[in-house]
Amino acid sequence: MIKLALKVKFYSLFRINLKSAGTEYELDNQITIAELIKKLDQDYDGYFTQKLLEEDRSISSGAIILLNGKNVIHLDKLETVVSNQDTVTLFPPSAGG
C-alpha cells in the first residue's frame, strides 16, 4: 500500500537553520496552510510563525509558500486547503539586496 502524505519542503535558510530538507505529515483530513504552519511550529518550536507570518497573521513580505508549485498568495492565502499527496514548499523572506 502506498503511504499518502503531505510533503513539506524547506529551502534556503530554512534548510540550513533546521538542518532538514523537509518533513511529511499523514493527514486524517484536509487542513489549511495556517493549520499546517501551526503543526510545523509544534515540531520546530514556533519557528515558522516567526519566519513566515506578520504580527497580523498575514504572510510576511518576501516569504514564499507554494502548494504544488503555485504561490498560495494567488490561491486562498493562509486559508488554502492542503491534503495528502500535496507538496508545500517553503522559502523564507530573503534579506539583503
Side-chain angles (χ1 to χ4, degrees), residues 9 12 24 32 38 44 50 53 61-62 84-86 90:
K9 295 183 177 178
S12 185
E24 290 188 359
T32 63
K38 277 190 194 129
Y44 296 97
Q50 190 185 341
L53 303 181
S61 172
N84 290 326
Q85 293 185 293
D86 284 334
L90 303 174

Side-chain angles (χ1 to χ4, degrees), residues 6-23:
L6 169 66
K7 290 182 177 59
V8 184
K9 295 183 177 178
F10 306 151
Y11 282 93
S12 185
L13 288 173
F14 286 164
R15 189 173 278 196
I16 294 164
N17 293 339
L18 300 172
K19 296 176 179 48
S20 170
T23 188

Side-chain angles (χ1 to χ4, degrees), residues 59-78:
I59 298 171
S60 294
S61 172
I64 300 172
I65 303 172
L66 303 177
L67 171 60
N68 301 326
K70 292 192 174 90
N71 194 325
V72 300
I73 292 283
H74 305 300
L75 302 170
D76 291 321
K77 300 182 174 63
L78 293 174

